[in-house]
Amino acid sequence: MKMLINVPETVVADALRGMAAAHPELAVDVENRVILRKDAPVAGKVGLVSGGGSGHEPLHGGFVGPGMLSAACPGEVFTSPVPDQMVRAAAAVDSGAGVLFIVKNYTGDVLNFDMAAELAEDEGIRIGKVLVNDDVSVTDSLYTAGRRGTGATLFVEKIAGAAAEQGLPLERVEAIARQVNENSRSFGVALSACTTPSKGTPTFDLPDGELELGIGIHGEPGRERRPMMTSGEIAEAAVDAILADITPRNPVLVLVNGMGATPLLELYGFNAEVQRVLGERGVPVARVLVGNYVTSLDMAGASVTLCQIDEELLRLWDAPVRTAGLRWGM
């Protein structure tokens, strides 16, 4: 497999150096693997810290900036960051108002963020935590006890980020983040496997003419393997799987997310089918976001995330944001 890299051992550091050069509004610590808002800490503002294995860009480093995260901690590819990174990030963004850890439900992330929370609290930093576990595909998997954290991470980071930007206290920001997670569900599909730099070959075998329904963002097995389906059929499978788990009472935010190798031409066509299915199922749509946001290296495929919202959450979603991977209203 051809890759635009030097050597696998430096791929994350090289990417961080490139990110620093492209985004001078960020403070990128390549050696310690921490990406910060350059203006952190912001007086009176709750800090938001997230992180995870690299390979899911723009998650999480691309979501650092006004209206979203205060800091992100990138691990090696598909590998959790270590507690020292999180403690360093928390100390850098804490203004005295506390820090919220946003954690995707993968075993390594959960263990390391829990350890980091204890260490940070020993240093006098108030810590809140929210666990993102929105994936309806499977319960318990290769990387997870319980449901995986996937596309809803973007919703949690954006909406909680807006709440923090408006000066809400830690307890309220944490409650809003939990509400977003509880109201969100996701389902993904893979048309091809991804390839990690260290391995150089696909992480699993997916024969021509087949797809994997319910895939995870590390290439974890899904619900089932089927012969290739049309965009409309995939949309029906994804939306129906979500609606079997949650019945939205309010309008929904919709994320149609590419897994890394699916072009926007296909994603917008897929979104048209998702909107058709939601209309047929009587689900009103408040906002739609289409693009590659929570990816899996070079995997072809897509995921759908729905989040039922009220007026407050919609207002926070619409609030200005300025990051490398998401920006509007500024």
Side-chain angles (χ1 to χ4, degrees):
M1 179 65 69
K2 298 177 182 177
M3 293 184 177
L4 195 63
I5 65 173
N6 292 316
V7 293
E9 293 77 13
T10 66
V11 66
V12 175
D14 291 345
L16 290 175
R17 289 191 296 107
M19 187 175 197
H23 298 285
E25 72 277 13
L26 298 176
V28 180
D29 185 339
V30 177
E31 180 180 357
N32 294 305
R33 305 286 176 90
V34 177
I35 302 166
L36 299 164
R37 285 178 56 159
K38 191 166 279 187
D39 61 353
V42 179
K45 176 186 172 302
V46 171
L48 266 64
V49 174
S50 193
S54 297
H56 306 303
E57 291 74 20
L59 191 80
H60 294 272
F63 299 146
V64 174
M68 225 161 165
L69 294 176
S70 306
C73 305
E76 291 296 329
V77 173
F78 291 178
T79 302
S80 173
V82 298
D84 284 352
Q85 291 173 260
M86 303 154 192
V87 175
R88 185 173 284 107
V93 304
D94 181 34
S95 68
V99 174
L100 178 66
F101 284 168
I102 298 173
V103 188
K104 300 188 306 303
N105 189 31
Y106 296 96
T107 302
D109 290 5
V110 172
L111 291 174
N112 287 353
F113 269 100
D114 282 349
M115 187 179 300
E118 293 179 7
L119 294 171
E121 288 171 342
D122 287 344
E123 295 185 8
I125 302 171
R126 286 196 301 135
I127 299 291
K129 288 184 293 183
V130 60
L131 187 68
V132 182
N133 58 350
D134 54 303
D135 183 17
V136 303
S137 302
V138 294
T139 300
D140 300 331
S141 70
L142 184 64
Y143 288 79
T144 295
R147 289 181 167 178
R148 303 177 291 214
T150 58
T153 313
L154 181 148
F155 289 156
V156 172
E157 292 178 356
K158 170 62 184 74
I159 292 174
E165 205 72 41
Q166 294 177 10
L168 297 183
L170 177 61
E171 293 75 17
R172 182 62 186 141
V173 175
E174 181 177 356
I176 288 171
R178 292 182 185 278
Q179 180 184 358
V180 173
N181 176 66
E182 290 166 2
N183 288 345
S184 298
R185 301 290 190 278
S186 296
F187 190 90
V189 58
L191 309 183
S192 73
C194 59
T195 305
T196 61
S198 61
K199 187 177 181 184
T201 57
T203 54
F204 62 95
D205 177 47
L206 186 57
D208 291 342
E210 295 186 1
L211 56 75
E212 184 91 17
L213 287 176
I215 199 72
I217 57 174
H218 306 96
E220 309 99 310
R223 286 187 171 186
E224 60 179 309
R225 189 165 291 187
R226 289 189 188 178
M228 187 60 193
M229 302 157 65
T230 67
S231 177
E233 291 168 338
I234 295 171
E236 290 170 358
V239 171
D240 286 345
I242 292 171
L243 296 183
D245 197 85
I246 189 172
T247 302
R249 299 177 301 277
N250 297 330
V252 297
L253 300 176
V254 180
L255 171 63
V256 172
N257 172 67
M259 301 304 289
T262 303
L264 279 171
L265 179 70
E266 296 178 31
L267 289 177
Y268 278 121
F270 182 53
N271 179 55
E273 296 299 330
V274 170
Q275 300 305 314
R276 172 186 63 80
V277 177
L278 289 171
E280 292 173 355
R281 305 300 189 266
V283 179
V285 174
R287 300 287 187 274
V288 181
L289 185 64
V290 179
N292 289 286
Y293 294 102
V294 183
T295 63
S296 184
L297 293 170
D298 60 342
M299 181 185 288
S303 62
V304 177
T305 304
L306 305 182
C307 175
Q308 63 172 338
I309 55 167
D310 55 23
E311 290 184 4
E312 180 188 26
L313 296 186
L314 183 59
R315 176 178 56 81
L316 292 169
W317 174 257
D318 286 340
V321 59
R322 188 173 72 247
T323 69
L326 197 71
R327 61 177 60 208
W328 58 68
M330 287 186 174

